[in-house]
Amino acid sequence: INMKDKKLLEKGKGCWMKIDANLIPIEWWKPKKKTFDLLLPLGIHEVARVFPKNLIVASGQSNAGKSAFCLATAIMNMDTYNINYFNSEMAEEEFSDRLDVCDLSSGQLATFRDKVKIWERGFKFEQVIEPNGFNIIDYLTTPADKAYLMKDAIEVISDKLDKGIALIAIHKKKNEDHGYGGVYTMNRPRVYISINHGIVKLVKVKAWQKGLHNPNGKIMNFKLVNGWDFRPQTVWHREGELESAVEDKENIKENRW
């Protein structure tokens, strides 16, 4: 290696590594659309501000509603966006059956077919997501003995985004907030929710709507109807603060935060 080449390299452990000196300026003063307007189940969009290039992670225990959360998000936003839905566990027949359970109208099914593209994919999502689009990954996994790779798997997806967003579902253990990979899976996501049977928790909301109190740590009891419709059974509250269910929808809406 001559000295000229060394200007482009740095010495690592037993090797030379290429220096990546590329910097991307953040021109914050230029006018632009600030938030990525979307709808989320249980009115989470009413508190969480989501921006371009943001990640949303839904960690859930088995059969608690991870796929339902992804499907609900697609249905709620299909009138506004073209959505790439990457499905890692259901074949065509099972996905079709899942939509039958959703009991959508013929018009909704037509819109879903035209606006939500379902792709069978279980690996290297960063190679296929749309950097400037609306991406849903149901779900992201790593080898069972290598949960520590989940952090990196999430971060490479984040790095691929430009003006778009990604909702990523991951597995978690019962009664734990974080998915496989632990607390490190929270590094990049700006919204991180935990789903247990009948309960959703706002583990991390990086930016919340102005005028609201800090929502981090709040939970809501819900009832899942037709495999995608998350219906609130309580207002948002902190654990131990509220026991009784709230049945009046308007009351729930007015007191949600």
Side-chain angles (χ1 to χ4, degrees):
I1 301 175
N2 60 43
M3 291 304 297
K4 182 178 179 180
D5 292 333
K6 283 186 177 181
K7 294 180 181 179
L8 302 177
L9 302 172
E10 65 179 1
K11 193 171 183 179
K13 294 182 178 180
C15 64
W16 289 86
M17 297 176 292
K18 184 178 180 180
I19 296 174
D20 184 353
N22 292 320
L23 295 174
I24 300 175
I26 297 178
E27 298 174 332
W28 54 269
W29 61 89
K30 290 187 176 181
K32 56 183 67 67
K33 179 182 177 182
K34 289 189 175 182
T35 58
F36 193 102
D37 298 324
L38 78 163
L39 303 176
L40 292 169
L42 300 175
I44 294 173
H45 59 280
E46 295 175 3
V47 63
R49 290 191 293 159
V50 177
F51 297 88
K53 199 178 172 61
N54 276 185
L55 290 180
I56 302 168
V57 165
S59 67
Q61 67 179 107
S62 181
N63 293 325
K66 293 188 305 299
S67 292
F69 192 92
C70 290
L71 192 56
T73 301
I75 293 171
M76 294 170 71
N77 292 280
M78 64 186 181
D79 289 329
T80 305
Y81 298 101
N82 291 309
I83 299 170
N84 285 306
Y85 192 116
F86 301 99
N87 163 51
S88 66
E89 60 179 352
M90 288 183 280
E92 290 179 354
E93 295 81 2
E94 185 178 357
F95 200 93
S96 177
D97 183 72
R98 184 67 181 266
L99 284 179
D100 288 342
V101 174
C102 291
D103 196 28
L104 301 178
S105 68
S106 58
Q108 287 176 310
L109 286 172
T111 301
F112 191 92
R113 183 182 63 243
D114 293 340
K115 300 295 290 294
V116 183
K117 301 304 180 185
I118 311 298
W119 309 101
E120 184 177 346
R121 183 78 174 192
F123 63 97
K124 298 286 185 181
F125 293 103
E126 72 277 5
Q127 297 179 357
V128 293
I129 63 171
E130 172 53 54
N132 294 304
F134 196 134
N135 305 278
I136 297 177
I137 297 172
D138 179 21
Y139 62 97
L140 179 65
T141 188
T142 60
D145 61 338
K146 296 181 179 179
Y148 60 88
L149 294 177
M150 185 65 77
K151 167 185 171 292
D152 293 338
I154 290 172
E155 289 185 354
V156 294
I157 293 170
S158 175
D159 290 339
K160 186 64 180 290
L161 292 172
D162 184 14
K163 301 300 182 184
I165 65 167
L167 164 61
I168 304 173
I170 63 175
H171 276 313
K172 77 175 191 68
K173 294 180 181 179
K174 182 179 179 180
N175 297 326
E176 291 190 2
D177 288 343
H178 309 110
Y180 291 157
V183 66
Y184 301 107
T185 61
M186 289 181 58
N187 288 359
R188 290 292 182 91
R190 316 317 276 169
V191 178
Y192 195 109
I193 71 165
S194 172
I195 306 174
N196 289 301
H197 290 287
I199 300 176
V200 164
K201 182 175 183 179
L202 301 175
V203 180
K204 175 183 177 181
V205 176
K206 187 66 176 181
W208 55 87
Q209 302 290 354
K210 294 179 180 179
L212 298 181
H213 296 295
N214 186 345
N216 286 283
K218 287 189 175 183
I219 63 174
M220 176 183 278
N221 296 71
F222 70 89
K223 179 180 179 181
L224 187 61
V225 178
N226 294 333
W228 74 276
D229 186 3
F230 284 76
R231 297 185 181 179
Q233 301 300 296
T234 64
V235 297
W236 289 99
H237 60 284
R238 301 198 182 277
E239 295 183 65
E241 288 183 350
L242 182 66
E243 297 295 337
S244 61
V246 179
E247 297 179 356
D248 183 78
K249 292 182 179 179
E250 290 304 316
N251 190 38
I252 290 175
K253 184 176 181 180
E254 292 173 5
N255 295 282
R256 183 166 280 158
W257 305 110

